[in-house]
Structure formats: C-alpha cells, structure tokens
Amino acid sequence: MGLALWALPRAFGLKPLGQEACVPGPLPERGELWSNGVLEIPLCREARVGLLLEGTLAQGKGPNALVVEGSRVLWQGEVSGVKEVWVRTTGRGTLALAFTNDLYQPPEDRNLFLRALRVEP
C-alpha cells in the first residue's frame, strides 16, 4: 500500500515536452474527457487563452484539471460546475488540458468538459 501511494504522484506527473513538440493545427471548439486524459490545443504562439470548463461531481468532488504548456503548469484546480479559466501562453510548447482524477461509481461519474475556447492576441 505504501509503495502504491508513493508511486501515484509519479504516475500522473507531467513529462516535459520540447519546444519542437508544438505543431500548429486546428483549435478544438469543444472537448470531452470521460476518463483521465489530455486534450491538446495546438496553439503554438503567444496569446491569452480562455477555457470555459464544466465538471461533473462524484463523491462530492469535481474533476481536477490542469492547463499546461510543455512542462509548465499554467493553472490547476477543481472544476465544480462551470468555471472560466484564463491563461497566458508563450508559444514554447504544446498547450494541453489534462483531467487527472476520474471516478465512475454508478450513478456518479466524474467528467471534464471543455465547453468553449477563446484565444486573444
């Protein structure tokens, strides 16, 4: 049990992505994370980015979300209901939205949704 608790943070740790890993592409308008995972946002430039997130609760807790750029965490927090998050990107790495604490115990199901994405120069 102790070894499992020690290994848990390392299992969900973010690995650094090199600058060359960011390849510009179409930006998602919406996204759904039904289990632990990552939604890539291939912005690859300096910008102010707004994410409208929605989380569903399970055992009284919302999804733990992270907004990262490469290996840099721009925002981290619990999403209970609807939450608007704004971050500033540098263009030095792939921007991503990560969901790290999925739980499914019927009838409860913790999920994370990207409802809208806004990019300002």
Side-chain angles (χ1 to χ4, degrees):
M1 179 73 155
L3 180 61
L5 291 174
W6 175 81
L8 188 59
R10 286 150 186 80
F12 291 110
L14 299 173
K15 303 293 182 216
L17 296 174
Q19 185 172 357
E20 67 278 2
C22 191
V23 177
L27 301 179
E29 293 180 25
R30 297 174 159 265
E32 300 173 345
L33 292 165
W34 300 95
S35 63
N36 291 336
V38 174
L39 175 66
E40 287 189 10
I41 303 167
L43 185 59
C44 303
R45 65 181 173 88
E46 288 185 38
R48 185 171 178 251
V49 180
L51 300 99
L52 184 62
L53 305 174
E54 183 176 356
T56 57
L57 301 178
Q59 292 186 343
K61 293 186 179 182
N64 183 41
L66 290 96
V67 179
V68 299
E69 182 181 38
S71 61
R72 191 171 67 113
V73 176
L74 304 179
W75 180 85
Q76 178 177 356
E78 181 180 344
V79 181
S80 300
V82 177
K83 184 176 199 85
E84 188 173 21
V85 174
W86 285 90
V87 297
R88 199 165 283 285
T89 62
T90 63
R92 293 188 208 122
T94 299
L95 185 65
L97 171 65
F99 171 34
T100 61
N101 68 333
D102 184 35
L103 179 68
Y104 177 65
Q105 288 183 336
E108 296 183 314
D109 190 6
R110 188 180 299 143
N111 299 303
L112 179 65
F113 304 97
L114 173 65
R115 296 296 185 203
L117 180 71
R118 184 172 173 184
V119 179
E120 296 178 351

